[in-house]
Structure formats: structure tokens, C-alpha cells
Amino acid sequence: MTTSATPTDLINPASAGAADAAALRAALNRVRTEVGKAVVGQDGAVTGLIIALLARGHVLLEGVPGVAKTLLVRTLSHALSLDTKRIQFTPDLMPGDVTGSLIYDARAGEFEFRKGPVFTNIMLADEINRTPPKTQSALLEAMEERQVSVDGESLTLPEPFIVAATMNPIEYEGTYTLPEAQLDRFLLKLVLEVPARTDEIEVLRRHAAGFNPRDLAGAGVGAVLGAAELAAAQAAVSHVGSSADVLAYIVDLARATRTSPSVKLGVSPRGTTALLAATKAWAWLSGYDSITPDHVQAMALPVWRHRVQLRPEAELEGVSVDAILRGVLQQVQVPI
């Protein structure tokens, strides 16, 4: 692959060998470097978004205002040379504002479909919990089937397609709880913390030097990967192996969440397949040909933290889902 700003060395997914896989991994590492030119202190979230792209999954980003959730998604799209569109979710947003609407063309005497912002590669759904469930549910078909149905016709969304939705965890006035069916469609829930002191100083230093978050090209962020290379990487991830013992380990972890006394709703079978998909992506990105229990443990929290519901009494006692999942990881026997 070339290292120029515009990716030109396209790799055929069907013939990607060990050398091509190494080149793809190197390119994805360069993507992390490019994102780091604009976003400081969120390396884990950058890696999580790359894993979601490799696993063809969607991401829920949770963090207080001002931790660069929107900037992170915009910069990643820029580094991958992918199209991105942003929707600011508000209480009066309608489903047609997301998927598109039928508009009557008086000159042609017929209705014409105007595509909505969902027809893109990376859709940034900003503050998704500020819009009513009716509009939130308009995303369900797009997220699961990767298509939009209009007037009896199904329109396929571009490839790749992921939804990166942001949520504010401290402001609940004027918000709507996401339906469980929609939460389950998100592959990962990534929590963006306030940067460490040294990282925050670096943010200020960059702004003092003239950094403009609306001018990514001016910040030196370039495209190092394209849609064709990403498709090759996704194909390589699908061939990552998984032993029977590790598959059984994933199932045992999920079943342990369902029997926890603090849990009202444990991980579903869809949750186990989601963990497998994310684990394969992380294993491939780490240079492994098959998944290990270590890969499973690394991905369990981001894949499952939004799929587990606690009992009300456990919430009153201050128990967190992350604490439950860490306990399950410690209790379930690891295959050797």
C-alpha cells in the first residue's frame, strides 16, 4: 500500500494473504496516528471505532459534553476517506428527516424520493436520546438490514455503513430512553472519559498554536485508507478462527450474566454473536489468526455493558453494569 494522503493501492479481498494483512493492519495503525493529530487522550475510543468498522457494527459513544465525541467521528471519517453526515437529534425530529422523504415533483407529475442523511458511510447521530422513540426506531431497519424501505421499495445503503451515536450521561431533562431493541443493535458502547491532566494540557497547547477543529486538513489529518482497503480488512477478519473451547467460554460468560442476582436482564444470544464479531476484529487487529480468551475478556465490557439491565435494588445500592461484568469475568473458568 502507498503511504500518500490518497489511498491508491487497492487490495483484492479474495487474495489478501499474510503480507497484505500486515499492510492493512499497518494502514489502520496509521489511521489511529492521523486521528491523534486532532483528538487527544481518546486512544481506546479510536480503537473501538476501528473495531466496529471491521466488524460492520454500530457504536454508542457516551461522555460528558466537550470530550471530543463529534470531533472523533469526523476525524476518523476524514482519515478513512469515507463520507459522513451528522444529524442533531431534537424532540421535533421526524423519521423522514433521517431516512428521507417522498417529495412531489410538479413538473414530472410524480413523487420523487429525496435521500436522507442516513445514506452515507458513517452517520453521526448526535445526542440520539433527545428525540422520541418513533424517530429513534426509524434507524432500526437501517442499522440491522442496511437498507431503507420507501413506498414498497428497499433502497440499499452504501458500504461501509455504521451509525456512531452520542449520548450525554448526566443530562436527562428532555431526553428519551433508547428502546431495548435499538440498544441491542449497537455493537459497542464506548465511554469517553475526561482526558488526563497531561492530555488536557496538550489540547490547550494545540489550541494556543492555532488548531481549528473545523479544519482537519489544516491540522494535517490526511486519508490513509479507503473503502476498498477497509473491505479487504473486513474480509480478512471474517476468516479469523475460533476454537470450540473459546466459543463455549463466550456462552458461559453470557449465561453467568443471566443468573447474577443483581441482573434483571442478561446478555442475549445476539449479544454472544456480537462479542464474537468484535473479538475476531480485535484479534485480527492484534495480529492473531484465531481468537483467545484474552481477546474475549478485552471486548466483553464494551460489547455487553449496554445489553445488561440491573434490578432496581441493585441500582439503588450503586452497583454498576461494568462491575457485574468484571465479576463474571473473574468467576467463569477460563479455558486453557
Side-chain angles (χ1 to χ4, degrees):
M1 299 182 72
T2 64
T3 57
S4 60
T6 303
T8 57
D9 186 14
L10 305 183
I11 297 174
N12 181 0
S15 61
D20 290 340
L24 288 169
R25 277 191 285 266
L28 286 167
N29 282 325
R30 291 200 301 275
V31 168
R32 286 191 275 194
T33 301
E34 292 299 309
V35 174
K37 294 177 181 179
V39 180
V40 180
Q42 301 296 354
D43 295 341
V46 175
T47 302
L49 282 166
I50 291 174
I51 288 172
L53 278 166
L54 291 174
R56 303 179 79 245
H58 309 288
V59 182
L60 195 58
L61 301 171
E62 184 179 272
V64 298
V67 292
K69 298 186 294 293
T70 303
L71 179 61
L72 172 60
V73 175
R74 287 180 49 242
T75 309
L76 180 69
S77 302
H78 191 86
L80 291 170
S81 192
L82 296 176
D83 181 57
T84 182
K85 289 186 173 67
R86 175 181 177 272
I87 306 176
Q88 179 63 52
F89 279 71
T90 57
D92 60 349
L93 194 74
M94 299 298 291
D97 298 328
V98 177
T99 58
S101 304
L102 286 170
I103 307 296
Y104 184 72
D105 187 341
R107 287 177 297 181
E110 59 185 19
F111 284 94
E112 175 190 358
F113 179 67
R114 300 281 179 86
K115 292 182 178 180
V118 75
F119 287 87
T120 186
N121 297 126
I122 300 180
M123 194 192 88
L124 175 58
D126 227 345
E127 296 189 290
I128 191 174
N129 56 333
R130 289 204 174 276
T131 201
K134 179 180 180 181
T135 304
Q136 293 172 359
S137 299
L139 282 175
L140 280 179
E141 182 187 16
M143 293 173 67
E144 185 68 16
E145 304 297 335
R146 300 177 185 274
Q147 66 178 24
V148 171
S149 296
V150 181
D151 198 24
E153 182 182 356
S154 296
L155 303 178
T156 304
L157 295 175
E159 282 289 347
F161 170 74
I162 74 164
V163 174
T166 70
M167 285 178 57
N168 182 343
I170 62 170
E171 213 173 323
Y172 295 105
E173 186 175 351
T175 63
Y176 301 83
T177 303
L178 289 179
E180 293 304 320
Q182 186 171 358
L183 273 177
D184 212 29
R185 259 63 175 191
F186 286 99
L187 177 71
L188 304 175
K189 180 181 178 181
L190 304 176
V191 179
L192 279 71
E193 305 287 355
V194 174
R197 181 176 181 272
T198 53
D199 291 330
E200 200 164 356
I201 292 173
E202 174 62 17
V203 171
L204 284 183
R205 188 196 66 76
R206 293 186 184 188
H207 278 266
F211 170 71
N212 182 0
R214 286 170 288 279
D215 182 15
L216 295 177
V221 180
V224 296
L225 201 72
E229 290 93 342
L230 185 58
Q234 291 172 337
V237 167
S238 68
H239 291 99
V240 171
S242 52
S243 69
D245 286 344
V246 178
L247 294 179
Y249 179 55
I250 293 175
V251 171
D252 290 342
L253 289 172
R255 294 177 70 86
T257 67
R258 301 168 197 160
T259 58
S260 172
S262 299
V263 172
K264 179 174 70 173
L265 179 65
V267 174
S268 69
R270 180 186 283 135
T272 60
T273 59
L275 181 56
L276 175 62
T279 300
K280 290 175 71 171
W282 175 233
W284 180 85
L285 199 59
S286 303
Y288 287 78
D289 294 327
S290 61
I291 62 174
T292 69
D294 287 341
H295 298 132
V296 173
Q297 293 171 0
M299 297 308 305
L301 264 65
V303 175
W304 282 356
R305 59 165 53 109
H306 57 295
R307 304 173 193 271
V308 174
Q309 282 189 20
L310 297 178
R311 296 185 184 276
E313 54 269 28
E315 293 181 343
L316 289 173
E317 293 172 0
V319 177
S320 69
V321 172
D322 281 13
I324 294 293
L325 292 175
R326 289 190 186 98
V328 166
L329 290 172
Q330 292 176 352
Q331 293 165 10
V332 176
Q333 184 175 358
V334 179
I336 301 175

